[in-house]
Amino acid sequence: MIRVLAIDDEPLALQQLAAYIRKMPFIELCGECFSALEAQELMEKDLVDAIFCDINMPDLNGMDFVRQLVAPPLVVFTTAYAEYAIEGFRVNAVDYLLKPFGMQDFQRAALRVKEQYDLRMNSSLQSSPAPSSAQSPGSPSVKDDTIFVKTDSRTVRISISDIRYVEAMSEYLKLHLDSQPRPLITLLSMKKMEDFLPSTFMRIHRSYIINLQKVLEVNKNRVIMGPDEYLPIGENYRNQFNDYLDGKVLTK
């Protein structure tokens, strides 16, 4: 699923743009912003694959906003002024929507975003792996009890003991941390993370790796990690987890 941000200072235009985004099956609307500054703040906290961004906005216009991004996502500009089209493509915009635009025009732009997104993903998957003695470019790097992961345009240090559980989301991982209310999202494979984490972590499902020291309760085929955090135990992982549990359960 392609995570998309909608940015427009006009409420009705933003509402219409968000409605179009929600109709596309391969796009997830992860935020609606009334300004580039609001979008910038959101993108520092969460991973965004693409933005549909108005150009004429107060404080910081869409063109300047995209230019200042260190690692910009895929960009589709929306504006009522046709003269911005050439300038938009100079900053490597995927497409340009001239207001007022309809669903057909939006769908064309969304499909171009998907095409470019798929190309990026395929290129990442097909790149040669680094030698085993070195870290590959997209992998976390370790030092003592911390790892570094890339999220958006940042490289963030994380304490391994701070990780409650890891959740797979398509090509991305969500790292659920004790220290942050929202998960950290990074482009990384589940297998690479599983191999990297110490023995205090265990994979219990194709989509979940848990910190065994953070388990609050096991209820039938679910592991409870926190309030409203009920993780399923997959069939292929049940025996391994039950063996661990049997070794920890106190009996007569």
Side-chain angles (χ1 to χ4, degrees):
M1 190 72 74
I2 304 171
R3 294 174 58 79
V4 170
L5 192 63
I7 311 168
D8 201 307
D9 64 315
E10 299 177 8
L12 291 179
L14 183 61
Q15 182 180 355
Q16 183 65 72
L17 179 59
Y20 285 154
I21 291 173
R22 291 189 180 98
K23 291 180 180 179
M24 304 304 296
F26 52 84
I27 287 179
E28 176 188 357
L29 180 63
C30 60
E32 302 173 41
C33 300
F34 288 104
S35 71
L37 296 178
E38 184 181 349
Q40 190 173 37
E41 183 178 348
L42 190 150
M43 290 171 66
E44 289 175 354
K45 300 176 182 177
D46 208 352
L47 182 69
V48 173
D49 300 310
I51 60 174
F52 285 78
C53 183
D54 187 25
I55 293 178
N56 287 329
M57 293 185 291
D59 297 325
L60 180 63
N61 72 49
M63 203 76 69
D64 291 337
F65 168 59
V66 171
R67 285 196 185 98
Q68 74 174 19
L69 294 175
V70 177
L74 300 169
V75 178
V76 175
F77 284 119
T78 66
T79 184
Y81 301 93
E83 60 266 26
Y84 283 116
I86 295 177
E87 190 176 356
F89 288 117
R90 283 175 180 166
V91 295
N92 296 320
V94 174
D95 207 347
Y96 177 97
L97 289 170
L98 185 63
K99 297 179 181 179
F101 55 86
M103 183 61 192
Q104 185 175 357
D105 290 330
F106 175 83
Q107 186 176 36
R108 180 204 71 227
L111 288 171
R112 288 183 178 175
V113 168
K114 184 178 186 302
E115 179 181 332
Q116 292 299 313
Y117 175 83
D118 289 343
L119 285 173
R120 284 188 179 186
M121 292 300 101
N122 290 336
S123 176
S124 175
L125 291 173
Q126 292 172 6
S127 60
S128 300
S132 58
S133 60
Q135 294 296 327
S136 57
S139 65
S141 56
V142 68
K143 182 178 180 181
D144 300 326
D145 62 344
T146 64
I147 59 175
F148 289 86
V149 295
K150 293 183 178 180
T151 175
D152 192 18
S153 59
R154 302 173 296 152
T155 301
V156 182
R157 180 196 291 270
I158 299 173
S159 173
I160 292 176
S161 61
D162 191 33
I163 302 174
R164 195 162 61 256
Y165 64 95
V166 180
E167 178 183 0
M169 184 185 68
S170 187
E171 296 90 357
Y172 297 91
L173 297 182
K174 285 184 176 181
L175 306 183
H176 296 261
L177 309 176
D178 284 339
S179 62
Q180 297 187 28
R182 300 181 64 180
L184 194 69
I185 301 176
T186 184
L187 178 61
L188 195 65
S189 73
M190 196 70 159
K191 180 64 166 61
K192 184 161 291 186
M193 179 61 77
E194 183 181 13
D195 292 342
F196 202 85
L197 290 172
S199 59
T200 51
F201 288 78
M202 182 180 291
R203 191 166 184 174
I204 62 165
H205 188 274
R206 59 192 296 267
S207 299
Y208 295 103
I209 299 172
I210 63 170
N211 187 336
L212 295 169
Q213 297 177 339
K214 307 286 186 178
V215 175
L216 299 181
E217 183 179 334
V218 180
N219 189 334
K220 297 182 180 178
N221 291 325
R222 298 187 303 177
V223 176
I224 302 174
M225 303 298 294
D228 301 320
E229 292 180 334
Y230 302 87
L231 309 185
I233 304 172
E235 183 67 31
N236 295 334
Y237 306 90
R238 186 168 295 133
N239 290 340
Q240 180 185 10
F241 182 71
N242 285 341
D243 288 344
Y244 163 80
L245 203 60
D246 290 342
K248 293 291 185 179
V249 174
L250 294 178
T251 58
K252 290 183 179 180

